[in-house]
Amino acid sequence: METKTAKILDGKALASKIYQELSHRISELQPKIGRPPGLAVIMVGDNPASAVYVRNKEKACAKVGIASFGKHFPTQTTQTELEAVIQSLNEDERVDGILVQLPLPNHLDSVGLLHQIHPNKDADGLHPVNLGRLVRGEMGLRSCTPGGVMRLLQEYEISLRGKQAVVVGRSILVGKPLALMLLEADATVTVAHSQTKNLAAIAHDADILIAAVGRPELITAQMIKPGAVVVDVGINRITDSSGNSRLVGDVHFDSVSTVASYITPVPGGVGPMTVAMLLQNTVTSYVQRTSN
Ligand code: NAD
């Protein structure tokens, strides 16, 4: 058996550290501001995975002292009703962050709802105004998953300046904003996607490889430059030959960790960082909204 050489980029441990920092910051700010930060998670329908995600977000909020204004609506709720809910949350002084948990039932337009959220309460950092601020290099709420990847790289002092970064995946949720954040950090960035020819050769050039695809174990050891840093955003549930279900990333962890210098596990890598960044965005918005 080959030895694993890669060090683990431990998102779970860093998320706990961020929770402690946020908790400390909130306990200092709350007496001055007179209220805790508030986050409203809107969920529609009964998707079981979404229910778990929402519960985890609310638990994390409780842990650091963020008040939850979560609302759960039945599947048949209309677009107009949800727009009215978002408007009232936009006007609610106790609420600093609003997000709509995806996926939504088919009759609803998720982008239309996202546009209704006030950009300064856009805890997910996905509103066009915040994505525009990212493109322009202006301050703003940054998307949580790519923001979490950047924070993890920063924590382990992985230098990006002048490095070749390859992002596999070009979604508006992960790949595109992440490519912009890496550019902002002075990396030379290539974005690969489903139409890319010769992914293996492009991936092999990467000093930093980030996979955000949604294909179980697509990235194998042969595609990795020795010593590269590998970040796995993918979360895929697979059933193995003995019928057991488990989570795997987009990276073949066992083989890649014999070649890479650093690697994120799945679970326990980028996933916990996404929630930590959501809470951090809520606190950033709380500070900004109460200091004007
Ligand atoms: P998506 O389906 O919106 O986008 C996938 C991207 O991968 C597309 O840009 C597509 O062009 C590209 N792609 C598809 N097949 C490819 C191939 N064979 N080669 C190269 N590129 C290919 O997905 P998403 O929302 O960006 O999510 C990607 C993965 O990340 C999923 O597994 C998702 O569950 C996971 N995810 C994890 C977190 C987290 O917190 N860890 C957050 C968001 C998404």
Side-chain angles (χ1 to χ4, degrees):
M1 208 175 126
E2 285 180 281
T3 29
K4 292 191 173 49
T5 52
K7 296 194 190 78
I8 296 292
L9 296 168
D10 189 342
K12 199 170 168 210
L14 178 53
S16 300
K17 179 175 153 186
I18 292 169
Y19 290 155
Q20 274 174 19
E21 287 166 5
L22 289 176
S23 174
H24 180 70
R25 210 157 152 225
I26 292 168
S27 62
E28 279 184 349
L29 287 168
Q30 189 171 336
K32 294 181 203 144
I33 294 175
R35 65 167 180 88
L39 175 67
V41 180
I42 298 172
M43 181 174 159
V44 187
D46 296 311
N47 182 316
S50 295
V52 172
Y53 287 136
V54 170
R55 223 179 9 256
N56 286 345
K57 287 170 186 175
E58 291 181 345
K59 264 198 226 155
C61 281
K63 214 188 289 182
V64 304
I66 294 176
S68 285
F69 293 87
K71 292 181 193 259
H72 187 178
F73 297 92
T75 307
Q76 62 275 18
T77 309
T78 66
Q79 184 85 7
T80 313
E81 285 168 330
L82 290 169
E83 285 177 4
V85 168
I86 293 174
Q87 281 315 325
S88 80
L89 291 168
N90 280 340
E91 285 158 23
D92 190 331
E93 281 308 315
R94 302 164 305 166
V95 174
D96 303 289
I98 304 167
L99 77 90
V100 178
Q101 184 67 42
L102 301 180
L104 289 173
N106 287 337
H107 68 280
L108 295 170
D109 166 17
S110 60
V111 178
L113 292 178
L114 176 63
H115 283 227
Q116 297 295 318
I117 296 174
H118 191 289
N120 294 348
K121 292 193 177 189
D122 167 36
D124 262 343
L126 295 171
H127 188 284
V129 167
N130 284 315
L131 290 173
R133 287 171 176 156
L134 171 62
V135 174
R136 293 188 53 85
E138 293 175 8
M139 297 268 287
L141 297 170
R142 297 292 194 239
S143 324
C144 297
T145 302
V149 170
M150 297 302 288
R151 179 70 183 79
L152 196 52
L153 294 173
Q154 185 194 11
E155 181 72 11
Y156 285 82
E157 298 179 346
I158 289 163
S159 112
L160 296 169
R161 180 166 304 137
K163 295 287 168 60
Q164 182 68 47
V166 173
V167 180
V168 191
R170 59 175 163 183
S171 73
I172 195 67
L173 187 61
V174 191
K176 275 188 205 166
L178 184 55
L180 289 163
M181 290 179 195
L182 289 161
L183 266 183
E184 212 172 26
D186 292 332
T188 301
V189 182
T190 302
V191 181
H193 48 79
S194 56
Q195 304 305 311
T196 295
K197 301 210 164 42
N198 209 354
L199 175 65
I202 292 169
H204 202 271
D205 271 347
D207 300 309
I208 323 279
L209 181 103
I210 296 156
V213 183
R215 300 268 180 284
E217 301 176 332
L218 171 78
I219 306 293
T220 55
Q222 299 75 17
M223 298 163 85
I224 303 297
K225 185 201 274 191
V229 173
V230 178
V231 176
D232 191 354
V233 180
I235 303 177
N236 310 289
R237 186 162 285 284
I238 59 160
T239 307
D240 63 23
S241 48
S242 36
N244 297 322
S245 146
R246 65 188 172 101
L247 290 183
V248 297
D250 292 342
V251 173
H252 190 272
F253 183 87
D254 284 348
S255 67
V256 171
S257 54
T258 66
V259 186
S261 60
Y262 286 93
I263 190 167
T264 55
V266 176
V270 177
M273 291 303 298
T274 298
V275 184
M277 292 298 104
L278 173 68
L279 269 49
Q280 186 170 291
N281 274 349
T282 305
V283 174
T284 301
S285 158
Y286 169 67
V287 172
Q288 278 168 358
R289 296 183 58 254
T290 51
S291 62
N292 292 329

